[in-house]
Amino acid sequence: MSSDTSIHGIFLSLKSVSGDLQSRSFRWWVGFFIVTGLSLSVIVGLLIVALSSNSELGLQAVVGTVVIASVFQVAYKLQKRSVAAGRLKRMEGRTICAAVFLVTSAEVVLWALSAIPTVARAFSVAVILGGFLVAVIMLLILEGYPILKVRGSAGYIAEAGLLIVFSMAYMTVISSWISPFLATKINVGPILSPPSLAYPLGTTSLGQDLLSRVLTGGSIMLQVAILSVIVCFSIGVPLALAASYRGGVADRAASLVMDSIYAFPGLVLAIAISAMLGPGVINMALSIAVVYIPSYFRVVRSQVLTIKELPYVEAAVAMGARSRDIVFRYILPNLLPSAVVVMTINFADAILTEAGLTFVGLGLPVNVPDWGWDLTFGRTQLITGAWWVIAFPGLMIVLLALGFTLAGEGLNEVLTPKLKE
């Protein structure tokens, strides 16, 4: 076989490279075995948990998400090659991928309606959303990694953070279908039982299965984080864009208000607002949003003040371009990368703040599974030696916040190459 002979398939492209495997360094092989081992461990663990699920639909949920993601991945690879060969336009290829995803999702809905009509809606939503998240994870591994690794350590950091975030989001989406027990059910086992084969993460002081609570406890946290970030982004970016571009009294007034909010300690201000609004997902999201709107305002304002003095913006003004065109065509596209970076880091802050609000009793009712509540109850059990009650929920909070932080810091360097200089 000649050195330029290659074998192409749907997921791989094999080339005859003499001595390629032998040339791999010891460090490369260690990394390969670590990644492969961790991936296989996660898959096996997920299947074991799914087989023992309380809903008896855990395996179907996992298989359904993997099937949707795999079919989408095949369609994506085929359309990518067709676009590269000139047989399809890029927009046509994307339309085909979207159609394949919708058709596969429709098949899942039809199966659910015929096999499990009583829970068809909830099951279909979980599987379709889970399939989308698995497809994103596959794209990050197969398509994103070759792109991000060119950026060096920043690319690796961003890749690791995004994989952590989407993996935990996937776990949360299908958690109600793969959990061994209902997260709120008490006396499912011995009180404060340490981790064992029957209860892998142990039980709580009420006899609740901690694994089930860990799997489902991130749902409310992610909902609050997503809502708060949407509110922050929707208010902070347009307000900073309008005020800083116009300048004058409006800019000074907006800056004064934002600096005043920014001067307060974030958690203290969130506690005060949450105490006034009361418990609830929306109220917690609003409390957190008020705290972090100034972060978007300050970053976007500094970007606008810099960009509007650049030669191409001054040239557009000299040519008589309207303010609306200048803002949306020349300024906004150049500041969006910075706003996206702030958004990813804001996710981590929102998660930690939500956990803090729940920890002090200003979150949701106690009967709602939440990692913050587990921390509250676990701190009283820690002195008795029941370390697992607080350790595993705390680890999940740290891991989710770490994922968003890594993604934000990595994307910041990837989208802003000058930082590396």
Side-chain angles (χ1 to χ4, degrees):
M1 183 181 293
S2 62
S3 59
D4 59 346
T5 302
S6 61
I7 303 174
H8 294 281
I10 294 176
F11 291 100
L12 70 161
S13 175
L14 299 178
K15 293 186 177 180
S16 174
V17 284
S18 176
D20 183 64
L21 293 179
Q22 290 82 357
S23 64
R24 298 293 186 181
S25 64
F26 175 77
R27 184 178 178 182
W28 185 91
W29 280 110
V30 171
F32 173 77
F33 283 116
I34 290 176
V35 172
T36 304
L38 288 176
S39 302
L40 292 176
S41 300
V42 170
I43 293 172
V44 172
L46 189 61
L47 291 175
I48 293 174
V49 172
L51 287 171
S52 60
S53 64
N54 175 70
S55 66
E56 298 181 353
L57 293 171
L59 186 60
Q60 292 88 329
V62 174
V63 171
T65 57
V66 174
V67 168
I68 291 177
S70 299
V71 172
F72 175 81
Q73 186 66 31
V74 171
Y76 177 80
K77 286 288 186 181
L78 292 177
Q79 70 85 23
K80 186 178 179 181
R81 292 183 179 179
S82 298
V83 170
R87 293 190 295 269
L88 284 176
K89 294 181 179 179
R90 183 167 306 213
M91 186 56 66
E92 293 175 343
R94 292 176 179 175
T95 304
I96 291 175
C97 287
V100 169
F101 182 84
L102 292 176
V103 170
T104 311
S105 301
E107 293 288 339
V108 172
V109 174
L110 293 175
W111 177 86
L113 289 173
S114 61
I116 46 173
T118 55
V119 292
R121 181 178 179 181
F123 181 84
S124 300
V125 171
V127 172
I128 292 172
L129 186 54
F132 172 77
L133 292 172
V134 174
V136 173
I137 293 172
M138 287 183 173
L139 288 175
L140 280 173
I141 296 174
L142 299 176
E143 303 292 333
Y145 176 74
I147 298 174
L148 291 175
K149 75 174 183 178
V150 178
R151 298 302 182 98
S153 59
Y156 292 122
I157 291 173
E159 177 86 4
L162 292 173
L163 287 176
I164 291 173
V165 169
F166 284 109
S167 298
M168 296 192 71
Y170 171 72
M171 177 197 73
T172 301
V173 166
I174 65 169
S175 60
S176 59
W177 303 102
I178 65 174
S179 298
F181 302 94
L182 290 176
T184 56
K185 188 176 181 179
I186 62 175
N187 296 325
V188 300
I191 293 176
L192 293 178
S193 173
S196 61
L197 290 177
Y199 307 99
L201 300 186
T203 60
T204 67
S205 58
L206 298 177
Q208 298 168 314
D209 179 52
L210 193 57
L211 175 60
S212 301
R213 293 188 64 84
V214 165
L215 289 174
T216 58
S219 176
I220 299 300
M221 191 166 289
L222 284 174
Q223 292 179 38
V224 172
I226 291 172
L227 286 176
S228 64
V229 167
I230 290 175
V231 173
C232 288
F233 192 90
S234 303
I235 296 177
V237 173
L239 179 62
L241 188 60
S244 56
Y245 182 75
R246 289 290 181 182
V249 178
D251 182 40
R252 289 195 295 271
S255 299
L256 179 62
V257 172
M258 292 298 156
D259 289 342
S260 300
I261 297 175
Y262 194 77
F264 281 93
L267 183 58
V268 174
L269 184 58
I271 290 174
I273 298 174
S274 184
M276 292 187 294
L277 296 178
V281 173
I282 296 178
N283 289 342
M284 278 200 298
L286 292 176
S287 303
I288 297 171
V290 171
V291 173
Y292 293 108
I293 286 176
S295 299
Y296 291 83
F297 181 88
R298 291 163 65 93
V299 171
V300 172
R301 180 177 181 272
S302 64
Q303 291 287 314
V304 173
L305 293 178
T306 301
I307 294 172
K308 74 177 186 178
E309 301 296 333
L310 295 178
Y312 67 89
V313 177
E314 294 180 347
V317 173
M319 294 175 64
R322 293 179 299 178
S323 297
R324 183 179 61 185
D325 294 334
I326 294 174
V327 169
F328 290 103
R329 183 174 296 180
Y330 299 107
I331 297 179
L332 183 61
N334 289 286
L335 61 83
L336 277 180
S338 299
V340 170
V341 170
V342 175
M343 183 174 64
T344 55
I345 298 176
N346 184 213
F347 266 110
D349 295 334
I351 287 167
L352 296 176
T353 306
E354 192 276 343
L357 292 176
T358 306
F359 183 79
V360 298
L362 294 175
L364 294 173
V366 69
N367 60 344
V368 177
D370 188 86
W371 294 333
W373 277 126
D374 291 330
L375 292 182
T376 302
F377 299 141
R379 64 172 180 169
T380 60
Q381 306 300 330
L382 186 60
I383 57 176
T384 65
W387 54 269
W388 56 89
V389 181
I390 193 173
F392 293 114
L395 178 63
M396 298 303 290
I397 293 174
V398 171
L399 190 60
L400 186 57
L402 177 64
F404 279 115
T405 302
L406 290 177
E409 294 294 339
L411 290 176
N412 188 26
E413 293 190 28
V414 169
L415 298 175
T416 314
K418 289 185 178 180
L419 289 178
K420 190 174 181 180
E421 300 176 3

